[in-house]
């Protein structure tokens, strides 16, 4: 691993036996260290730690409490990496992280039970640094648009489930208020 390597979210940086993830890094299901943000890899060989320093450190204006909309880029058992594209109605472009503990007040076994890559979510920012951490615990927050995991068509809300009218698949998500597609 090089100390000056530029990386993007999801890019493999090594394996968990090589270093401890400190900031901007997570461990996937297979034990690979992966970047959470666009930035530069910093490896401390003495402490055996790895960090990804965000490429953009300027003040970005997002602060705790702001409502955002984001697309889910990737999902693991315990986190989802998001691209925040809207904050309080204004277009933005930030990285976000949703941890499984910020999904519900009740126990959630895996993120796959509540959202999938490609889903659009409405969330609340809970920190003021990059990558922005978000929560969908509050009532009304959650998935507001989704596509079928089987065929890729739009999922329509039918009660508390999502249904595909093309292939008939029924899926679960943490559905937010204002879900865009409702089965009539």
């Amino acid at each position: 691993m090089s100390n000056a390597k530029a990386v993007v979210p999801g890019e493999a940086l090594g394996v968990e036996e090589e270093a401890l993830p400190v900031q901007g890094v997570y461990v996937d299901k297979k034990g690979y260290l992966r970047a959470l943000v666009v930035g530069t890899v910093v490896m401390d060989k003495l402490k055996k730690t790895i960090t990804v320093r965000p490429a953009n450190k300027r003040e970005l204006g997002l602060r705790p409490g702001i409502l955002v909309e984001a697309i889910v880029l990737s999902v693991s058992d315990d986190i989802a990496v998001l691209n925040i594209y809207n904050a309080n109605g204004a277009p933005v472009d930030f990285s976000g992280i949703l941890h499984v503990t910020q999904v519900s007040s009740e126990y959630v076994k895996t993120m796959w039970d509540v959202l999938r890559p490609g889903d659009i979510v409405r969330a609340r920012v809970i920190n003021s640094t990059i990558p922005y951490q978000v929560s969908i615990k509050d009532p009304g927050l959650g998935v507001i648009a989704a596509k079928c995991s089987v065929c890729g068509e739009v999922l329509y809300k039918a009660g508390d489930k999502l249904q595909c009218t093309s292939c008939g698949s029924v899926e679960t998500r943490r559905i937010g208020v204002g879900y865009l597609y409702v089965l009539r």
Side-chain angles (χ1 to χ4, degrees):
M1 289 181 270
S2 168
N3 284 349
K5 182 180 178 191
V7 294
V8 296
E11 188 170 335
L13 307 174
V15 293
E16 63 184 330
E17 290 83 7
E18 295 175 331
L20 293 170
V22 177
Q23 182 179 3
V25 179
Y26 71 97
V27 181
D28 70 11
K29 286 193 248 187
K30 296 181 180 178
Y32 287 97
L33 298 166
R34 295 193 179 275
L36 277 173
V37 295
V38 173
T40 305
V41 176
V42 177
M43 176 76 174
D44 185 328
K45 293 182 182 182
L46 184 61
K47 293 180 184 176
K48 294 192 179 198
T49 60
I50 189 166
T51 302
V52 174
R53 288 200 182 130
N56 190 355
K57 289 190 173 187
R58 64 187 168 94
E59 177 55 47
L60 299 172
L62 293 189
R63 59 189 185 284
I66 290 179
L67 288 178
V68 296
E69 289 182 7
I71 186 165
V72 178
L73 299 177
S74 65
V75 176
S76 69
D77 284 339
D78 56 353
I79 67 163
V81 178
L82 312 172
N83 178 20
I84 300 170
Y85 65 85
N86 184 309
N88 281 346
V92 294
D93 187 17
F94 303 125
S95 295
I97 302 297
L98 175 61
H99 192 268
V100 70
T101 59
Q102 293 299 321
V103 169
S104 175
S105 301
E106 299 172 15
Y107 174 74
V108 174
K109 183 177 179 180
T110 174
M111 290 295 265
W112 293 96
D113 293 340
V114 292
L115 51 82
R116 304 284 169 89
D119 288 357
I120 305 294
V121 296
R122 182 173 295 122
R124 183 174 310 282
V125 175
I126 59 175
N127 73 335
S128 58
T129 58
I130 301 170
Y132 289 104
Q133 295 176 29
V134 299
S135 174
I136 59 171
K137 273 185 176 182
D138 296 347
L141 300 181
V143 175
I144 58 171
K147 292 195 175 179
C148 179
S149 326
V150 177
C151 70
E153 293 297 320
V154 170
L155 288 173
Y156 290 89
K157 183 178 174 191
D160 64 346
K161 304 269 187 216
L162 298 177
Q163 182 178 354
C164 178
T165 56
S166 289
C167 72
S169 176
V170 176
E171 301 186 19
T172 59
R173 302 284 202 284
R174 177 169 168 86
I175 303 170
V177 170
Y179 189 84
L180 297 177
Y181 309 103
V182 179
L183 198 57
R184 299 190 199 291

